[in-house]
Amino acid sequence: MASQSDVAKLANVSFMTVSRVVNGDPRVKPETRERVQRAIEELNYYPNAIARALNRQRAMTIGLILQKLDYVLSEPYISHLIYHIEKALIPHDYDMLILSGEHRNGRDLTLLFKQKKVDGVIILGSQMDDPRIAALSANRNPSVLLHAHSDLPFVSCVDVDNYSIIEYFIDYLTALGHRRIAFIGGDSSVLDAYQRLDAYAACVKKRCLPFEQELVFRGNWSSGSGYEAFLHFNELRPRPSAVIASNDHMAIGFLKAAYEHQVRIPEDISLVGIDDIEMAAFTTPKLTTMRQPMQTIASVAVETLVGAMENRDKPASHIILQAEPVIRDSCGPIPKV
Amino acid sequence: MASQSDVAKLANVSFMTVSRVVNGDPRVKPETRERVQRAIEELNYYPNAIARALNRQRAMTIGLILQKLDYVLSEPYISHLIYHIEKALIPHDYDMLILSGEHRNGRDLTLLFKQKKVDGVIILGSQMDDPRIAALSANRNPSVLLHAHSDLPFVSCVDVDNYSIIEYFIDYLTALGHRRIAFIGGDSSVLDAYQRLDAYAACVKKRCLPFEQELVFRGNWSSGSGYEAFLHFNELRPRPSAVIASNDHMAIGFLKAAYEHQVRIPEDISLVGIDDIEMAAFTTPKLTTMRQPMQTIASVAVETLVGAMENRDKPASHIILQAEPVIRDSCGPIPKV
DNA sequence: CTGTTAGCGCATTCAG
DNA sequence: CTGAATGCGCTAACAG
């Protein structure tokens, strides 16, 4: 495998000149540059990323931490988000390591930095009050939380405005006449899930709608838990006339259960989801939901992280993006009893 | 950030001794070892993975190449497979870079090796006759193809026995009385899709079942294409009485379309999928399918790759695993007309 | 059992 | 404009 010295010999220059050519240093005589270029091509030379990383003290790699790899990866929303993250990293020339939060280095994320494996991390779906996040901040390791929040000084966050999402739907559903509005929460250890639930409670109270424990079902983001939510709500008397699911996946599970139990959506129960995953447009009825600005979330997260990696002392930024309602066919006026 | 020399100073030894302690070299006096250990902990020292990689000429990183990141990642089957791959890598202490086949280095995968970024790659869903694969073999870059096949000397493959899968279903369906058995193919540029189609054609001919162009719908693995497949088959006269979908995702799309068009499964049409994704147990009716030995596929792929990385001259191995039928409720006897 | 020397491939610094 | 020296942090090979 050819190194700079090999190229240098062939081109009759010092390896330093080769280095300059490779890095586009302008102060190389065009003639020399061309000679070097030819040697590079002839030897099929490519810079050794590891040697470069050692020298520059930058791995040019970021870590994408997923708490529960198996589970989280199968969320269509997450997988698309990852796609956009990877894409956004390319112009910055960073690579992306996928790490399961539970597995390797499950205890201490700062290890990744101490070992110099990554220059920064993006964390998806972190638990609330995860002590590992605090450790990252304490070490000033560039970190961005996605769909989560933290007040730590060196941990940035990118999230959607969960309060507005819920508020929008509460308004929308009350405008249709609904008052008994139920809620399916996500995995409650995750902040996003918590915020949505919190927003639900706040909005419901603010509008003096019935707020009861049994109107809240604690799911875990999976369609299976949406299915169970239906079973639970279907037993209530009076039954809720509308349901807000914390993500589309659960809404789809709910839809399925409703179908199996001959409960019509939206005639009997109105239903909304959050995310606008691809499948939301293909359910029966088509799902009314809230489109997350995935691509923006991904690019903002990457830009924020790159900024933090290039300037370690930059204080954390907290960016809240707005979601956009997508009204389809899963909501209707409150049924006349 | 502490280095070996820092530790060495504190422990009053040479950095070489520190290196030995870190690497568990037995020939260090226990007393000295302990002193070094304490210094390591006091300074919170961790070996620099990059320096180590440069020296050992091994990045301890593999690349997972996904042809179409956005699309492929959202396949539940794939995301679980990735989970298992990550898990299988941990005991070997390798990290995993996720790379989109289309993006970065889209043209030349050997670049990843020339740059020393990875020691090996696992390629998921490669196109058939992808020239990049040939280049990998020519350079003897350790590579494993998953759900694909190649006869190249230095490219190993791990796949399921597609022929047996199809044959099983053909037998199963003919035993139920079906003769007009239709087929929904996957993205035909992918070898797995091609093999399944090929197996379908071979089995159908062998059993003298009707084989017509219109009984084959070329999908692309997505549930949307399964939906379209239904639309297509539903127009045929006579309509096929059974359908084999090349994956569960398409089968689910088919199911949905059938429901919307008041065609009953399995009363009117029998349907089978392949993969046994989680959702297959939750559809209405529950989907009869073929369970892929995901975990085995992942671990075999990892072991194969690790073997190839540790012995570059090892010839490629071609491993074919068997899938296991999961009979649920989506098939029935041929309807009496 | 421990230390010295050398070098992995590159880029920064300073000379020419 | 180009080259020589130096070091990033670590380990392999050889000395002691």
Side-chain angles (χ1 to χ4, degrees):
Chain A
M1 200 84 299
S3 79
Q4 281 189 350
S5 322
D6 301 325
V7 177
K9 255 174 244 160
L10 186 62
N12 253 325
V13 293
S14 81
F15 62 81
M16 236 356 269
T17 305
V18 179
S19 175
R20 290 202 177 94
V21 171
V22 167
N23 292 304
D25 189 319
R27 26 171 221 184
V28 176
K29 207 199 294 178
E31 188 184 310
T32 316
R33 170 183 308 280
E34 221 173 290
R35 193 146 36 90
V36 173
Q37 290 283 21
R38 265 202 305 276
I40 286 178
E41 292 190 14
E42 189 169 337
L43 292 176
N44 209 346
Y45 164 82
Y46 285 92
N48 180 322
I50 291 183
R52 185 177 273 183
L54 179 60
N55 191 298
R56 292 192 186 161
Q57 306 280 41
R58 308 194 130 205
M60 295 311 280
T61 303
I62 71 147
L64 182 67
I65 317 276
L66 304 173
Q67 295 310 316
K68 299 177 181 169
L69 201 51
D70 55 342
Y71 173 69
V72 121
L73 220 47
S74 65
E75 294 279 323
Y77 173 71
I78 300 287
S79 54
H80 276 91
L81 193 54
I82 294 175
Y83 166 75
H84 283 115
I85 292 173
E86 206 259 357
K87 199 166 174 180
L89 284 169
I90 293 174
H92 297 286
D93 212 38
Y94 277 92
D95 285 312
M96 182 170 78
L97 236 36
I98 296 265
L99 302 158
S100 148
E102 337 151 79
H103 293 347
R104 183 175 356 204
N105 298 321
R107 309 154 160 222
D108 185 0
L109 298 175
T110 64
L111 269 187
L112 290 167
F113 290 90
K114 295 199 179 109
Q115 299 175 152
K116 304 290 179 198
K117 290 200 167 183
V118 302
D119 305 317
V121 290
I122 294 179
I123 300 176
L124 227 58
S126 72
Q127 315 285 109
M128 298 192 322
D129 308 321
D130 187 334
R132 301 178 300 172
I133 313 284
L136 286 174
S137 179
N139 289 21
R140 300 200 171 194
N141 294 143
S143 317
V144 174
L145 262 43
L146 240 54
H147 286 297
H149 179 80
S150 152
D151 282 321
L152 295 162
F154 291 97
V155 175
S156 293
C157 312
V158 179
D159 203 350
V160 287
D161 185 345
N162 286 307
Y163 187 87
S164 296
I165 290 174
I166 301 298
E167 185 177 43
Y168 179 91
F169 278 142
I170 295 275
D171 285 350
Y172 175 68
L173 291 168
T174 51
L176 287 168
H178 298 279
R179 289 191 50 81
R180 274 184 80 74
I181 302 175
F183 183 83
I184 311 177
D187 179 342
S188 57
S189 62
V190 173
L191 186 121
D192 240 34
Y194 180 80
Q195 278 194 350
R196 288 174 190 178
L197 173 55
D198 208 46
Y200 165 77
C203 291
V204 158
K205 280 179 190 149
K206 193 159 142 202
R207 281 159 188 74
C208 302
L209 302 175
F211 179 64
E212 300 158 21
Q213 279 303 329
E214 53 185 23
L215 285 180
V216 172
F217 183 88
R218 293 173 183 270
N220 66 357
W221 303 123
S222 76
S223 61
S225 69
Y227 192 99
E228 288 166 27
F230 172 85
L231 266 27
H232 170 71
F233 293 141
N234 196 34
E235 295 301 314
L236 301 185
R237 290 295 174 274
R239 199 168 61 181
S241 68
V243 173
I244 298 175
S246 285
N247 74 354
D248 288 352
H249 230 200
M250 295 194 291
I252 287 170
F254 188 96
L255 218 49
K256 177 181 162 44
Y259 165 68
E260 290 184 10
H261 291 76
Q262 280 93 43
V263 170
R264 295 163 304 162
I265 311 277
E267 292 81 356
D268 302 323
I269 299 182
S270 287
L271 175 69
V272 300
I274 298 176
D275 279 352
D276 192 29
I277 64 178
E278 200 182 347
M279 205 184 290
F282 289 99
T283 53
T284 314
K286 298 192 180 76
L287 190 64
T288 287
T289 185
M290 197 59 85
R291 176 173 304 153
Q292 303 237 36
M294 245 186 339
Q295 192 163 350
T296 310
I297 291 175
S299 62
V300 167
V302 166
E303 300 305 325
T304 304
L305 186 60
V306 169
M309 292 188 297
E310 282 170 1
N311 173 9
R312 301 286 291 243
D313 299 314
K314 184 184 274 191
S317 57
H318 297 181
I319 293 148
I320 306 289
L321 300 162
Q322 296 299 323
E324 173 198 354
V326 180
I327 306 298
R328 297 206 182 89
D329 312 328
S330 63
C331 293
I334 185 168
K336 311 236 160 65
V337 185
Chain B
M1 200 84 298
S3 78
Q4 280 189 350
S5 320
D6 300 324
V7 176
K9 255 175 243 160
L10 185 63
N12 254 325
V13 293
S14 81
F15 60 80
M16 222 17 245
T17 306
V18 179
S19 173
R20 291 199 177 96
V21 170
V22 167
N23 292 306
D25 191 318
R27 23 171 222 184
V28 176
K29 207 199 297 180
E31 189 185 309
T32 317
R33 173 185 303 280
E34 221 174 288
R35 194 149 33 92
V36 172
Q37 289 284 19
R38 267 203 304 279
I40 286 178
E41 292 191 14
E42 190 170 334
L43 292 175
N44 208 346
Y45 165 81
Y46 284 90
N48 181 320
I50 291 183
R52 185 177 273 182
L54 178 59
N55 193 297
R56 292 194 186 158
Q57 306 282 37
R58 307 195 130 203
M60 294 311 281
T61 302
I62 71 144
L64 181 66
I65 317 276
L66 304 173
Q67 294 312 315
K68 297 177 182 169
L69 202 49
D70 55 342
Y71 173 70
V72 120
L73 222 46
S74 66
E75 294 278 324
Y77 172 71
I78 300 286
S79 55
H80 277 92
L81 194 55
I82 294 175
Y83 166 75
H84 284 116
I85 292 174
E86 207 259 357
K87 198 166 174 180
L89 285 170
I90 294 175
H92 297 286
D93 212 39
Y94 277 92
D95 286 310
M96 182 171 77
L97 235 37
I98 295 266
L99 301 158
S100 147
E102 335 151 79
H103 293 346
R104 182 174 358 205
N105 298 322
R107 311 156 160 222
D108 185 0
L109 298 175
T110 64
L111 267 188
L112 289 167
F113 290 90
K114 295 198 180 112
Q115 298 174 152
K116 303 290 178 197
K117 290 201 167 185
V118 303
D119 305 316
V121 290
I122 294 180
I123 300 176
L124 228 57
S126 70
Q127 315 285 109
M128 299 192 324
D129 309 320
D130 188 335
R132 300 178 301 172
I133 312 284
L136 286 174
S137 179
N139 289 21
R140 300 201 171 194
N141 294 143
S143 318
V144 173
L145 262 43
L146 240 53
H147 286 297
H149 179 82
S150 153
D151 283 320
L152 295 163
F154 292 96
V155 175
S156 293
C157 312
V158 179
D159 203 350
V160 288
D161 184 344
N162 287 307
Y163 187 86
S164 295
I165 290 175
I166 300 299
E167 185 176 42
Y168 179 92
F169 278 142
I170 295 276
D171 285 349
Y172 175 69
L173 291 168
T174 50
L176 287 168
H178 297 278
R179 288 190 50 81
R180 275 184 80 75
I181 301 174
F183 183 82
I184 311 177
D187 178 344
S188 57
S189 61
V190 173
L191 186 118
D192 240 33
Y194 179 81
Q195 276 194 350
R196 289 174 191 178
L197 173 55
D198 207 46
Y200 165 78
C203 291
V204 158
K205 279 179 193 150
K206 192 160 143 203
R207 281 159 188 72
C208 302
L209 301 175
F211 178 65
E212 299 158 22
Q213 280 304 330
E214 51 186 22
L215 285 180
V216 172
F217 183 88
R218 293 173 185 267
N220 65 359
W221 304 122
S222 76
S223 61
S225 69
Y227 192 100
E228 287 166 28
F230 172 84
L231 266 26
H232 169 72
F233 292 142
N234 196 34
E235 294 301 315
L236 300 184
R237 293 295 173 270
R239 197 168 62 181
S241 68
V243 174
I244 297 174
S246 285
N247 73 353
D248 288 352
H249 231 199
M250 294 194 291
I252 287 170
F254 188 95
L255 219 48
K256 176 179 163 44
Y259 165 68
E260 289 183 11
H261 291 77
Q262 281 92 43
V263 170
R264 294 164 305 161
I265 311 280
E267 291 81 356
D268 301 325
I269 300 182
S270 288
L271 175 69
V272 299
I274 298 176
D275 280 351
D276 192 29
I277 64 177
E278 201 182 345
M279 203 184 289
F282 289 98
T283 52
T284 313
K286 299 192 178 75
L287 190 63
T288 287
T289 183
M290 198 57 87
R291 177 173 302 151
Q292 305 237 32
M294 246 190 333
Q295 191 163 348
T296 310
I297 292 175
S299 61
V300 167
V302 166
E303 299 306 324
T304 304
L305 185 60
V306 169
M309 292 188 296
E310 282 170 0
N311 174 8
R312 302 286 292 243
D313 299 313
K314 183 183 274 191
S317 56
H318 296 182
I319 294 148
I320 305 290
L321 300 162
Q322 294 300 321
E324 172 198 354
V326 179
I327 306 299
R328 298 206 183 87
D329 313 327
S330 61
C331 293
I334 184 168
K336 314 237 158 63
V337 185

